[in-house]
Amino acid sequence: MIPRLGALTQDTLWCFSQVKGTIEIGATEADIISTVEFNHTGELLATGDKGGRVVIFQREQESKNQVHRRGEYNVYSTFQSHEPEFDYLKSLEIEEKINKIRWLPQQNAAYFLLSTNDKTVKLWKVSERDKRPEGYNLKDEEGRLRDPATITTLRVPVLRPMDLMVEATPRRVFANAHTYHINSISVNSDYETYMSADDLRINLWNFEITNQSFNIVDIKPANMEELTEVITAAEFHPHHCNTFVYSSSKGTIRLCDMRASALCDRHTKFFEEPEDPSNRSFFSEIISSISDVKFSHSGRYIMTRDYLTVKVWDLNMENRPIETYQVHDYLRSKLCSLYENDCIFDKFECVWNGSDSVIMTGSYNNFFRMFDRNTKRDVTLEASRENSKPRAILKPRKVCVGGKRRKDEISVDSLDFSKKILHTAWHPSENIIAVAATNNLYIFQDKVN
Amino acid sequence: MMLSKGLKRKREEEEEEKEALAVDAWWLEPGHPAVAQAPPAVASSSLFDLSVLKLHHSLRQSEPDLRHLVLVVNTLRRIQASMAPAAALPPAPSPPTAPGIADNLLASSDAALSASMASLLEDLSHIEGLSQAPQPLVDEGPPGRPSGAAPPSLGALDLLGPATGCLLDDGLEGLFEDIDTSMYDSEFWAPVSEGHKSSPEDGPGKEEAPELDEAELDYLMDVLVGTQALERPPGPGR
């Protein structure tokens, strides 16, 4: 796909908005962002990091005085979601890294989110407190109990305003249900259940019940020596609470219907593209391994990300995707090196925009790519401190694959493979994106005219 | 982040002809025509060695990344298949059947992986002087020892190198009498956990032949040499 430069008014112009995180090069590994997620209204933006922390940003109300400055995201709450654990029986340390965060739809004043590490899912309630009761009868102002004999009158406690306090409390802990590493969680559209998927199994939970879950997919072979495929991602259909998909390390997607049977080992639909014989190599399977699967907001399509491409599938067509986008095909000739340094195993995520017309995914050198499904145009942008002037328009980047390198292009061999954009998020209704670049979170918005 | 480039190769004479996949060439000469992606019909040993190294490295993790492991093993299979497509591979010894114990979340992953390792050790124990099949444990694996020393689908020694080269002149006993079996105490050969692995009693019943033919010996040599290569500190080439 050759990107053409259309008239500027037709393409979205992306501008730098904010960057969060430390600037120092020697930032600790615990600060590396491992997941990013907007909530359903886009008012909140959550990040999880390798140190087990969750940071939630809230968009400030847009003021009429500053129409050119769209609402900025500021820190709303920070809490330690998971701690490192030690499994004494196996002598293993369980990493506290947050693998995924998923928001629940808001049903009252409080916000709820699920966060998970390799083994345990937690439901967190984030709520505000801006009033405090004062005037207790049995306690004094410091909370000490009063001697009832000294009380001569009764009064009704009143609520008085206080400085806003945002508190996060763990409401449920869903533990001990996964032998292998959890890679996905997905909230069901019934808002009563959710699923968690590890390498070999998928479990269905009820939010109210923590001591048991239903196993709905189990691909563990009776003999582990026969294991050739693992589950890499899973997601519920956005509207049909009985339907979900899961992807595999062999590049396949299975759609399952929970009404068909309790254990959904037999899929309802099986999506796989036949291998292109001209592209066959020893690394074919590794690069076909799907690292992320996402339903479109409409529920009509699924998008998958493998090492070199993003594919869009129509749920009604199983034998091939309807669209394939090359993310960084120039890496195809470098697969051996990327295998050697393990980059070929990197798991990139992908996201839809609110209208399902544009898809976005990350690459190396802090590049990320957007593909417009309608115009078939694509753009490569970079998340870097150099482009960090407020409202600076991001300049499209280009990788030179061979021959003469133009002035603004970067050659494949100059790419920094340690700077990888694995996690991105798109606001549910506006053109605001969050891009995680190692320990920094970049927020970009489209240009306000 | 790069692995060391100077992988020690066992059969260095053959490497000169296989530049196309030599790791060094990729990195230094991006414009080299050999870089063009026309997968050779036969993989070079360096790619094979690299994959075996990755496999071992993955297994050495206290809790291997299953996806990484499965992908490396499958890739290794492809490479190995292309290297020795016509070689008459001895039949893979049937692995011990995992007893139908109810899925124990705490032990199942250890046990299943260990079952593979047990079958591997089983075959090695046929070799004179290596009857160190680990004792079956009734309870969980001993605490303090890392798990998962076996790749999940290494059901056969056929994964560990084609049969080439080494002729064994002085017979089985002479070859192995100087092998230091304390290597089986290294963390690579983690002791297996309860029940799911073969007990020594199963051994004799599975013995297919009292003697191993040359091809099998080559395989086993590769296993041992490969393991010892891991134990050796990096040489000057690295």
Side-chain angles (χ1 to χ4, degrees), chain A residues 87-94 118-119 176-181 199-201 218 220 222-232 249-250 275 278-286 289-291 332-347 413 417-418 420, chain B residues 1-5 21 23 26-27 30 35-37 39-43 47 50-51 54 62-68 70-72 74-75 77-79 82 95-96 98 103-110 112-113 115-116 119 140-147 151-155:
Chain A
D87 181 334
Y88 289 95
L89 213 52
K90 290 190 198 172
S91 211
L92 297 173
E93 177 153 314
I94 299 171
D118 284 339
K119 299 286 186 178
N176 301 323
H178 285 281
T179 308
Y180 306 99
H181 292 175
D199 292 316
L200 298 180
R201 298 191 177 102
D218 188 341
K220 183 178 176 215
N223 192 341
M224 276 295 269
E225 294 175 14
E226 293 161 8
L227 180 69
T228 56
E229 192 174 12
V230 297
I231 297 170
T232 52
S249 56
K250 284 197 169 175
E275 193 181 1
S278 65
N279 271 336
R280 203 184 148 85
S281 76
F282 292 111
F283 309 110
S284 290
E285 181 175 325
I286 299 180
S289 173
I290 292 173
S291 50
R332 199 177 285 274
S333 57
K334 308 283 183 191
L335 292 179
C336 201
S337 304
L338 296 164
Y339 178 65
E340 189 197 20
N341 63 18
D342 270 347
C343 280
I344 206 174
F345 298 101
D346 286 337
K347 292 186 288 186
D413 303 299
F417 288 91
S418 68
K420 43 194 101 177
Chain B
M1 205 191 276
M2 295 278 292
L3 291 181
S4 87
K5 294 178 192 170
L21 278 175
V23 175
W26 286 91
W27 206 246
V35 165
Q37 187 65 13
V42 176
L47 192 62
L50 175 62
S51 300
K54 280 191 179 300
S62 52
E63 204 172 10
D65 176 349
L66 215 54
R67 171 182 166 261
H68 186 272
V70 162
L71 289 174
V72 169
N74 290 350
T75 304
R77 280 212 167 109
R78 279 198 196 203
I79 295 167
S82 77
D103 193 40
N104 182 334
L105 286 178
L106 295 171
S108 59
S109 66
D110 301 337
L113 294 176
S116 310
S119 76
E140 307 291 356
R145 303 299 289 270
S147 72
S153 49
L154 256 193

Side-chain angles (χ1 to χ4, degrees), chain B residues 15-30:
Chain B
E15 301 320 299
E16 290 161 1
E17 298 159 18
K18 296 177 180 167
E19 289 171 18
L21 278 175
V23 175
D24 289 317
W26 286 91
W27 206 246
L28 297 174
E29 296 175 77

